[in-house]
Amino acid sequence: MLKDKLKPHFGKLSIILLVAIAVLIASDLVTKYLEEKFVWNATIIPNFIEIKAGIRNQGCAFSFLDDNPAIGQPIFITLTFVLLAVLIFAFIFLPNRFIVLKVAVSLLISGAVGNLVDRIMLFQVRDWFGLNIFGRMAFCNFADFWIVLGAILAVLDLMFLNEFAVIPLTKTAKAAQAAKKAEEESKKEENAINLDTESGETQEQIAVENEITEEKDDGKDV
């Protein structure tokens, strides 16, 4: 039964998204290369957005394990491979009707691969784009943007948009959940009818057996 449900879904949408993944990965790696080659330094919006060359991150979010790259990098690389395996599985087997979720998975794959290349080749991640977050400049790259955007899209879709949404807000999600609920109620009624039928048949069988037993007892008394 599980094999019947887990079927690869690879059509036009998947091909388009594969091309998009290749473009997103390339854009991340190319900008990192250009930042190194031309030593980018610029202030776009003072104290808010700036571009700075030479920013290197040996940890992950919030500089976790930044002081211990010998321990941190192998952990991050291993976890990234595990995450990629899950994401690729989801990309292949996720039905194409889940467009937003499939786009989110594609973004997550793009970001994960972009930073994974840096970790494997350089044992660190090249950051160059600075953004003021809560009064502190945080530097990132395009791969980080793809990961954040993919995560946001996935959460929004699972919470509000698709047919399994926790709080369905779209007409499609509401209609799908209403249809599913009606199907479940129909199955419950069918099961109830089957139980009543089986119960009735059982009672008839018991009555017949009782009659046969009584006839045998009457024969013995005679």
Side-chain angles (χ1 to χ4, degrees):
M1 187 173 180
L2 186 60
K3 289 182 179 179
D4 294 335
K5 292 182 179 180
L6 287 177
K7 292 181 179 179
H9 296 272
F10 198 88
K12 291 182 179 179
L13 177 63
S14 297
I15 294 173
I16 292 171
L17 290 176
L18 280 176
V19 173
I21 288 170
V23 171
L24 293 176
I25 294 172
S27 68
D28 174 62
L29 296 177
V30 168
T31 51
K32 289 173 177 175
Y33 168 77
L34 293 175
E35 171 266 318
E36 279 189 315
K37 184 175 178 63
F38 296 104
V39 192
W40 286 348
N41 284 290
T43 299
I44 309 301
I45 301 176
N47 298 319
F48 186 64
I49 297 176
E50 64 181 56
I51 295 173
K52 189 174 182 180
I55 302 296
R56 299 295 177 261
N57 181 11
Q58 294 182 327
C60 64
F62 305 106
S63 298
F64 178 63
L65 289 178
D66 190 25
D67 297 330
N68 252 315
I71 296 174
Q73 290 304 320
I75 292 174
F76 299 145
I77 290 170
T78 302
L79 290 176
T80 303
F81 273 116
V82 172
L83 175 63
L84 276 173
V86 174
L87 291 172
I88 292 170
F89 180 87
F91 183 88
I92 294 171
F93 291 98
L94 194 65
N96 289 329
R97 68 179 183 273
F98 297 100
I99 297 176
V100 176
L101 193 55
K102 206 150 189 174
V103 169
V105 170
S106 301
L107 285 165
L108 290 169
I109 290 173
S110 304
V113 171
N115 281 339
L116 180 63
V117 170
D118 271 18
R119 293 191 190 282
I120 292 175
M121 294 181 63
L122 306 172
F123 226 55
Q124 60 187 358
V125 174
R126 294 169 288 182
D127 292 332
W128 54 271
F129 186 90
L131 185 65
N132 192 318
I133 300 177
F134 304 118
R136 179 176 176 269
M137 292 301 296
F139 286 88
C140 56
N141 51 53
F142 277 168
D144 296 326
F145 282 124
W146 309 151
I147 291 171
V148 171
L149 183 57
I152 291 172
L153 281 178
V155 171
L156 288 175
D157 191 52
L158 293 171
M159 285 294 295
F160 308 112
L161 305 179
N162 76 37
E163 62 192 63
F164 299 107
V166 178
I167 307 172
L169 298 181
T170 63
K171 291 182 178 179
T172 305
K174 290 178 180 178
Q177 292 200 7
K180 186 179 179 181
K181 187 176 180 181
E183 184 181 352
E184 289 175 353
E185 289 177 354
S186 176
K187 286 182 179 179
K188 285 181 180 178
E189 291 177 0
E190 185 180 343
N191 290 335
I193 292 171
N194 290 336
L195 286 172
D196 290 340
T197 303
E198 290 175 1
S199 178
E201 291 175 352
T202 302
Q203 289 177 359
E204 289 180 3
Q205 186 178 356
I206 291 171
V208 170
E209 290 176 354
N210 287 338
E211 287 180 4
I212 294 172
T213 303
E214 288 175 0
E215 289 177 358
K216 287 181 178 179
D217 291 340
D218 291 342
K220 287 178 181 178
D221 292 340
V222 172

